[in-house]
Each structure stands twice: as C-alpha cells, then as structure tokens.
C-alpha cells in the first residue's frame, strides 16, 4: 500500500512548502524508498501555461509537455525523478474532468456536487498518479508526497482540504501523514506562536484531527497524531526550545512532531536540517515504513545518495573563489520567474567549486531610453553586465526589453565574454548577428513585428494562432548534431559526444529557414537541428580549434570566442544538483577560467549521463504520438530520420 504524506501550509503562502516537501522526499529516498510527488494548485486555470511568470514564478515544463507549477521542478531536482502533467492537479483540471463525466452520463442522472463528486475525483486522481513509476527502477513508488498549494482556510482550497479529510480514512491511518508548515514570526527577538496555534486550530476545524488511537506494544497505547508541524522562521536563528514546547502544548502534538526550519545559507541544507531533528525516525514509526521491503540495491543507492548530498552541501561552506553571472531578463522583479535558470547556475557552480554571484539586470535598463529617463539605473545595469564573467539571456515573450538583451549579446560577442542564450535569448542572438554582422539593420522577429521586411524569427507553421494554452511546441524533443561537429562543438562534447540529445522545449517561434545559409556562411554555425534538419536548435561560435570537416572549410577563418552558445530548448528544466545541465555547466566553467572549462569539457565527454528515462529518448514523431514505436525483435528502438513521416 502506498504511503501518503500531505504537506499543507498556514498563515501565509510562499514560505517554503515545496522545499520542505522535496526535502522530506529526498530523506526518504536516502533510506532506499521509491518516492513520487504531486502538487495541488487550487486555481481555476487548467495549467500554468497561460500565466505570466510574475504571477507564481516560472512555468516549468515536463517531458510530456505539461506546463506546471515550479514546485514540480523542485521535486524533479531533489528526487531525481521524471514527472508528468498529471502530477500537477488544479481546480480547473478537476472540474473539467467531472463536467466531462457528467456530460457523458457517467453519474446516472444524479445531482453532481462538490461532495462527493469533486472530492472523490481528487482522491481518485491522487491514488492513480501515486502508482505511476517515476524513476529508473520502473516500479510503483512506496511513498507519495502531496503538496497542497495555497493556505488552509482559503475558499478555493476548501474542496481539496475536504478531500484530504476523507482520504485519510480511505487509505488508512497508517498510510497517511500530514506535515503542516506554519510561519513563526520573530518580533524583536521573541518567537511568536499565536499564528501557528490559529492555523492548526483552523486545520482541526476542517476535520484533519489527531484523534486515532492505535496499539504499539502489548498493554500499551500511544496517541499517534496524524500530522507534524514544520515551523518556518524567516531568520537565521533556529526554533527555540521554549517556542517548540509552547507549540506542542497549545497545538496538541508531542514535541517530537514540531520541527523548526530557519533560514540557512542554501536550500540544499534543509534536508539535513530536518534529518537532524529526527523526521526520518518519526515517519518510519508513524507510517510503519519498516514493513516496506527494500532491496539491497535500492538501500545502497539511498546510502550513496545521502553521502553525495552531504558532500555537496558541506562543500558549499568552504568555497572562497567566486564566479559572477549577469542574468539579463525581463521578469527580474520576481526572482522565481527564473527559478530553474538560477538552479542550473547553482548546480554548475557546485561542480566547479565556485561561489555563485548573480547580477540581476532588467533588460530594459540597458536601453538608450533608460539613459535619458533614469541615468542611474542605466549605468548600474551596464556596470553589472561589464563586471560579470558571463552573460546569460533567458527565455521570455514579447517585445519589451529585447533591445537591451541584444545590446548585452552584442557586448558578449564583441568583447569575447562567455554567453548563453536560452529560447528567446537564442533567437535574439540570431537577430543581433543579422543586424551587426550581416548588416541587416531592420532584422527582427515576427513576434515583435508581424509585417517585418526581414523576419529572422518566424511563427512555427503548426502552432495555433487562436488558442494560447498548451499550443506551443512543448516537452522533450530530440536535437541531432551536424556531421563534423564531433571535432569542435563544445555543446556536443558537453553532452558526452552524443550525436543526438534530448531537451525540453517551449516556444512558438523558430529561426526562419530562408536565412540559415546566409547566417551559416557568415560564421554563425547551427551545430544542432531537429531530426529533419529543418529547425535550428543549437547555435555556436567556435573557439580556437577549427572544424576540419569539409562542409565547414568555406567558413574559415572562424570567430575565436571562448564560449558563445544558444539553445532553442530550455536545458534548465533538466538540471540536477548532482548532474548539472551541460550548457550551463560549460557556461559557468568558461566564465570562471579557460582551464576549468577545459577540465569540465573533458569530464563531461567521458562521464555525462542524460537525466531522462531511456524510454523517453525517442523520435519526435513518437513523442508527438504521431506514430507508434518501431519494434525490432520485440524491443522498441528509435526511428531514424528517413523513417519519420513528413
């Protein structure tokens, strides 16, 4: 029977439920258990795809093209799992599911209501998804972490709280635990418990009660509370013993069920902070985890994971050398808009043993108009760019700030500063090259000007122009490196020298095929394309080593750049703390020093392992469900390009 751990929140939202949920799952994985995760978002949207990143942070993209809450990125990174769109439940999805069933007559003429139909649909969804394998074992998970977004007491989350009240009886007391995350504010050195008392009382009023008694030993009974309280402190001081005792008394839980999570130097310390307070021992007893059979192989993997995670976090505290990256974006007011990008930079900095410094630059501040209206902002922005060891331009939508991004790209190209462009950054690097190298001053994107004379970037023909949600080119897609790139392409070597790689995409626009030859002949090389060779997906400026393949002879002499790379994909969505995203790793290493870059390039060439399940690395036609898999002697194999339908 699957064990369920529900993580809810009280007092305020955005205090770290996702990190606590992910950290709890990680700790359970270190014991050898198989763990999956589900995020519940109580908004009416079907998914996060149509929301601006300034609403809830970045839109995270999964292998199957699901556009989901950024907390699923935390789950994938911490647990090293591959989730699907069904791992993100929204009110919109549940209501659509129930209404569709009603229209199909599945309720046999009954009145469809919040209880039981909506609440049953929520419980059924959780039980179904909790049994889907998500890791390399291919086996059903032992534990499912369910994070309930928002704050207990919100009107919109009421059906989900009621569903969880019912769910604890459906699955049984020994298979259900609740972690309630609450804020403990610190006022002039005094830790206040009243907000936590209030939110726990609200939780009890909604039916999540510690009222079950079970026998642990003969002639001895113990009251086992179904939930724990994680006290979030927004200060570097830990939860005081007196505070813990007071919460225990007034919230009717034992002191061993109260955990403090104070501010630490890195979120990667949170699992060790929870472990030091005995959360594994409590959950082992509370959920009877000792009854789950764990193979020696899984136990050894768990032990290895725990050791590597401890080494990762302890190493951070001894870093003195720094690497500075200028992140030139459009949504810098909310740092969570670039959550996966910053995590990719962090993971890469861990690998090369450097302390990461990010200079956040609002791209519009780099534009001449800002120099006129706000000279101080303009000069501060350019000072941040010029003072960085590398310049990163991430994804985004719309025209605002793109001129500033292209000015930063031009500076990186001309001054030979390591550069990485992601999605929009990739497209703007093409436009910048066309304007200043090909001398096409009005080169632009059809996204910015539908009637442009020279649209270097165009709308993809298969994309809907009337519907916005879920209509982009989404999810895991293959990229094929061009012949001859094995001798010089940094991107290819960072991916272990593979001829084909897979990354997640999210875009409506692509490089205009009409300009590809002109761009390539001028020195901007598209080293990676789609399987048909029609869609440009990776661009590079070569370094000192010149590609010897005949198809590149006419391009000599090549630009000599230490690291200039753009990807149409979003490689940040597949980074892992112990397995950094290759383009980001190369970028951060190049921003540190040529010697470190050369060292990491060689390491990746020999050791890189893709983070994707083997059965997901197939042709795009299969990923789009256009065709079925080809079987050879009963085994699925990838289609070659010539077999892919036009």
């Amino acid at each position: 029977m699957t064990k369920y751990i529900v993580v809810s929140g009280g007092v305020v939202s955005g205090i770290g439920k996702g990190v606590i949920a992910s950290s709890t799952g990680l700790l359970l994985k270190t014991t050898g258990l198989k763990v999956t995760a589900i995020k519940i978002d109580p908004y009416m949207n079907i998914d996060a795809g149509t929301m601006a990143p300034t609403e809830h942070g970045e839109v995270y993209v999964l292998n199957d093209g699901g556009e989901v809450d950024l907390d699923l990125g935390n789950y994938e990174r911490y647990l090293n799992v591959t989730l699907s769109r069904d791992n993100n439940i929204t009110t919109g999805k549940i209501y659509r599911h129930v209404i569709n069933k009603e229209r199909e007559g599945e309720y046999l003429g009954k009145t469809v209501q919040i209880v039981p139909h909506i609440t049953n649909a929520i419980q059924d969804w959780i039980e179904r998804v909790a049994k889907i394998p998500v890791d390399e074992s291919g086996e059903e998970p032992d534990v499912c972490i369910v994070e309930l977004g928002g704050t207990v007491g919100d009107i919109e989350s009421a059906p989900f709280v009621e569903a969880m009240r019912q769910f604890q009886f459906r699955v049984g007391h020994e298979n259900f635990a609740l972690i309630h995350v609450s804020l403990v504010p610190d006022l002039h050195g005094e830790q206040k418990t009243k907000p936590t008392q209030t939110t726990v009382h609200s939780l009890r009023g909604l039916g999540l009660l510690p009222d079950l008694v079970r026998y642990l030993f003969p002639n001895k009974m113990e009251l086992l509370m179904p939930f724990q309280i994680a006290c979030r402190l927004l200060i570097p001081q830990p939860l005081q013993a007196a505070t813990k005792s007071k919460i225990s008394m007034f919230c009717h839980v034992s002191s061993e069920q109260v955990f403090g999570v104070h501010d630490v130097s890195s979120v990667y310390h949170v699992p060790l902070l929870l472990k030091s307070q005995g959360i594994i021992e409590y959950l082992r007893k509370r959920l009877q985890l000792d009854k789950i059979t764990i193979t020696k192989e899984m136990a050894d993997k768990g032990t290895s994971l725990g050791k590597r995670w401890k080494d990762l976090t302890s190493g951070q505290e001894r870093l003195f050398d720094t690497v500075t990256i200028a992140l030139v974006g459009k949504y810098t007011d909310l740092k969570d808009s670039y959550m996966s990008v910053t995590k990719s930079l962090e993971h890469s900095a861990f690998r090369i043993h450097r302390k990461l410094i990010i200079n956040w630059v609002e791209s519009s501040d780099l534009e001449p108009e800002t120099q006129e209206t706000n000279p101080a902002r303009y000069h501060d922005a350019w000072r941040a760019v010029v003072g960085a060891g590398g310049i990163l331009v991430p994804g985004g939508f719309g025209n605002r700030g793109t001129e500033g991004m292209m000015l930063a790209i031009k500076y990186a190209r001309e001054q030979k500063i390591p550069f990485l462009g992601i999605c929009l950054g990739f497209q703007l690097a093409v436009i910048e090259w066309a304007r200043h190298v090909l001398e096409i001053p009005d080169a632009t994107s059809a996204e910015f000007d539908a009637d442009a004379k020279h649209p270097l970037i165009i709308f993809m023909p298969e994309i809907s122009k009337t519907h916005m949600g879920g209509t982009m080119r989404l999810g895991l897609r293959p990229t094929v490196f061009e012949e001859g790139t094995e001798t010089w392409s940094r991107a290819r070597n960072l991916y272990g020298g593979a001829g084909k790689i897979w990354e997640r995409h999210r875009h409506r626009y692509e490089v205009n095929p009409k300009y590809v030859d002109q761009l390539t002949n001028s020195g901007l090389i598209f080293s990676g394309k789609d399987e048909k060779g029609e869609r440009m997906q990776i661009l590079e400026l070569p370094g000192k080593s010149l590609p010897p393949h005949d198809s590149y002879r006419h391009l000599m002499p090549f630009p000599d750049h230490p690291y200039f790379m753009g990807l149409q994909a979003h490689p940040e969505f597949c980074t892992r703390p112990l397995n950094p995203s290759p383009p980001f790793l190369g970028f951060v290493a190049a921003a540190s020093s040529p010697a470190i870059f050369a060292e990491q390039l060689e390491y990746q060439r020999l050791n890189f392992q893709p983070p994707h399940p083997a059965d997901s690395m197939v042709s795009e036609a299969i990923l789009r469900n256009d065709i079925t898999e080809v079987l050879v002697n009963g085994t699925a194999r990838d289609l070659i390009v010539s077999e892919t339908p036009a």
Side-chain angles (χ1 to χ4, degrees):
M1 179 69 182
T2 305
K3 308 292 183 178
Y4 296 90
I5 301 174
V6 176
V7 181
S8 62
V11 185
V12 295
S13 61
I15 57 173
K17 293 192 301 295
V19 172
I20 291 172
S22 302
S23 299
T24 303
L26 173 70
L27 290 174
L28 293 173
K29 284 204 72 168
T30 64
T31 67
L33 294 168
K34 300 181 289 294
V35 182
T36 186
I38 295 172
K39 173 67 186 296
I40 296 174
D41 286 303
Y43 44 67
M44 285 298 298
N45 304 62
I46 297 296
D47 58 32
T50 57
M51 290 192 290
T54 50
E55 288 283 312
H56 296 278
E58 75 173 3
V59 177
Y60 189 78
V61 178
L62 301 169
N63 275 7
D64 65 357
E67 296 172 288
V68 297
D69 183 82
L70 60 80
D71 277 318
L72 273 80
N74 281 327
Y75 306 154
E76 288 201 333
R77 287 187 288 267
Y78 276 71
L79 305 179
N80 193 26
V81 295
T82 300
L83 304 177
S84 73
R85 68 181 77 224
D86 285 348
N87 289 81
N88 191 194
I89 303 175
T90 69
T91 299
K93 284 182 180 179
I94 294 295
Y95 273 64
R96 183 175 65 176
H97 173 72
V98 171
I99 290 170
N100 285 343
K101 290 180 71 174
E102 186 275 331
R103 292 289 83 188
E104 294 167 359
E106 291 194 28
Y107 295 115
L108 302 176
K110 295 179 180 178
T111 302
V112 180
Q113 298 174 290
I114 302 298
V115 181
H117 300 97
I118 293 294
T119 52
N120 282 348
I122 294 167
Q123 296 174 73
D124 293 343
W125 192 303
I126 290 172
E127 277 199 298
R128 174 177 60 84
V129 175
K131 292 176 168 50
I132 298 174
V134 293
D135 60 19
E136 70 279 1
S137 72
E139 298 175 358
E140 183 178 314
D142 301 310
V143 180
C144 178
I145 310 287
V146 182
E147 180 188 349
L148 176 56
T151 306
V152 169
D154 292 344
I155 292 175
E156 60 185 5
S157 64
F160 294 100
V161 175
E162 170 59 20
M164 293 301 97
R165 185 193 70 80
Q166 299 174 21
F167 194 63
Q168 63 183 326
F169 301 112
R170 178 191 281 207
V171 300
H173 175 68
E174 68 279 3
N175 298 315
F176 180 93
L178 173 70
I179 299 175
H180 190 62
V181 184
S182 177
L183 178 68
V184 176
D186 185 282
L187 298 181
H188 310 294
E190 182 182 0
Q191 295 177 355
K192 296 292 186 178
T193 65
K194 192 63 70 178
T196 297
Q197 294 179 44
T198 302
T199 185
V200 170
H201 292 166
S202 297
L203 195 65
R204 293 177 180 281
L206 294 170
L208 291 169
L209 302 171
D211 58 359
L212 298 180
V213 178
R214 67 183 290 275
Y215 288 85
L216 282 185
F217 304 101
N219 303 319
K220 180 178 180 182
M221 290 173 24
E222 180 179 343
L223 183 65
L224 284 181
M225 313 299 179
F227 63 84
Q228 301 164 281
I229 301 174
C231 299
R232 181 72 176 93
L233 297 95
L234 304 181
I235 54 172
Q237 286 74 39
L239 188 71
Q240 297 169 2
T243 308
K244 186 174 183 177
S245 177
K246 191 173 182 180
I247 291 172
S248 170
M249 178 185 299
F250 287 102
C251 294
H252 194 54
V253 295
S254 66
S255 59
E256 70 169 348
Q257 293 168 255
V258 181
F259 297 87
V261 184
H262 56 273
D263 280 353
V264 287
S265 58
S266 166
V267 294
Y268 302 105
H269 288 283
V270 174
L272 302 182
L273 178 63
L274 292 174
K275 182 179 180 181
S276 69
Q277 298 176 72
I279 192 172
I280 295 180
E281 289 74 20
Y282 175 77
L283 289 174
R284 182 178 285 123
K285 178 174 66 174
R286 172 65 186 75
L287 295 173
Q288 302 178 15
L289 298 178
D290 288 335
K291 293 185 178 180
I292 298 176
T293 302
I294 300 175
T295 64
K296 185 179 185 304
E297 180 186 5
M298 292 301 294
D300 291 344
K301 283 184 177 181
T303 302
S304 173
L305 172 62
K307 181 180 183 303
R308 287 183 292 138
W309 194 274
K310 186 176 181 179
D311 292 343
L312 173 75
T313 54
S314 61
Q316 293 177 340
E317 303 304 315
R318 299 191 294 270
L319 299 179
F320 299 100
D321 295 328
T322 62
V323 56
T324 304
I325 303 298
L327 195 157
V328 183
K330 302 174 58 163
Y331 317 115
T332 55
D333 286 344
L334 181 65
K335 304 298 188 288
D336 280 356
S337 299
Y338 300 110
M339 173 71 80
S340 292
V341 170
T342 57
K343 296 305 177 187
S344 297
L345 294 172
E346 287 178 5
H347 302 165
S348 301
F350 295 163
R351 170 70 70 80
I352 65 170
H353 307 295
R354 290 291 187 276
K355 185 172 292 185
L356 176 67
I357 299 173
I358 299 179
N359 291 343
W360 294 89
V361 181
E362 179 64 34
S363 58
S364 57
D365 290 347
L366 300 172
E367 298 173 359
E369 291 80 0
T370 305
Q371 187 177 17
E372 298 293 329
T373 59
N374 195 331
R377 286 181 65 105
Y378 175 82
H379 289 294
D380 286 345
W382 273 109
R383 189 178 297 114
V385 170
V386 173
I391 297 172
L392 169 64
V393 178
F397 296 92
N399 190 31
R400 182 184 64 82
T402 55
E403 293 298 325
M405 291 178 173
M406 282 189 279
L407 289 170
I409 294 169
K410 182 174 184 288
Y411 176 82
R413 179 176 60 81
E414 293 181 341
Q415 300 302 316
K416 301 190 186 308
I417 306 298
F419 165 77
L420 180 62
I422 303 298
C423 197
L424 178 62
F426 162 86
Q427 296 172 0
L428 293 178
V430 172
I431 296 172
E432 188 280 323
W433 183 276
R435 287 184 180 181
H436 301 109
V437 178
L438 294 181
E439 298 181 346
I440 308 175
D442 57 350
T444 187
S445 169
E447 182 179 7
F448 313 147
D449 181 1
D451 300 317
K453 182 180 178 182
H454 292 289
L456 269 288
I457 307 297
I458 59 172
F459 199 87
M460 296 169 61
E462 70 269 30
I463 303 300
S464 171
K465 294 187 178 182
T466 59
H467 289 71
M468 301 296 288
T471 58
M472 288 185 274
R473 185 174 183 238
L474 292 164
L476 198 68
R477 296 288 183 267
T479 293
V480 179
F481 283 104
E482 292 287 275
E483 185 181 356
T485 54
E486 63 275 6
T487 61
W488 67 271
S489 169
R490 297 176 173 119
R492 184 165 182 173
N493 280 278
L494 286 166
Y495 282 98
K500 182 186 286 190
I501 62 170
W502 281 259
E503 291 288 4
R504 296 173 182 175
H505 287 248
R506 184 177 187 247
H507 61 107
R508 289 190 178 90
Y509 293 84
E510 64 176 339
V511 176
N512 191 337
K514 294 180 180 178
Y515 292 90
V516 169
D517 288 343
Q518 195 175 353
L519 290 163
T520 303
N521 291 335
S522 63
L524 186 69
I525 301 178
F526 294 102
S527 57
K529 303 177 182 179
D530 72 344
E531 291 172 309
K532 297 180 182 179
E534 299 171 352
R535 192 158 277 159
M536 307 301 110
Q537 300 193 158
I538 299 178
L539 67 80
E540 296 183 72
L541 291 183
K544 293 180 180 179
S545 59
L546 302 181
H549 194 269
D550 290 341
S551 60
Y552 295 100
R553 292 295 183 190
H554 64 289
L555 302 181
M556 294 189 289
F558 294 99
D560 179 14
H561 201 286
Y563 193 91
F564 193 98
M565 188 181 299
L567 291 91
Q568 182 62 78
H570 287 268
E572 69 271 23
F573 292 144
C574 296
T575 188
R576 301 287 188 268
L578 301 172
N579 187 14
S581 167
F584 281 88
L585 176 60
F587 169 63
V588 173
S592 299
S593 75
I596 292 176
F597 174 69
E599 175 186 316
Q600 292 302 317
L601 196 67
E602 180 64 13
Y603 179 87
Q604 287 290 107
R605 189 180 67 81
L606 298 174
N607 299 287
F608 173 71
Q609 293 293 325
H612 317 295
D615 60 1
S616 69
M617 294 187 289
V618 295
S619 291
E620 183 161 358
I622 295 174
L623 293 168
R624 291 198 316 259
N625 296 319
D626 288 351
I627 56 177
T628 57
E629 293 177 306
V630 173
L631 299 180
V632 178
N633 296 326
T635 303
R637 69 163 172 82
D638 194 8
L639 291 179
I640 61 174
V641 176
S642 61
E643 294 174 311
T644 307

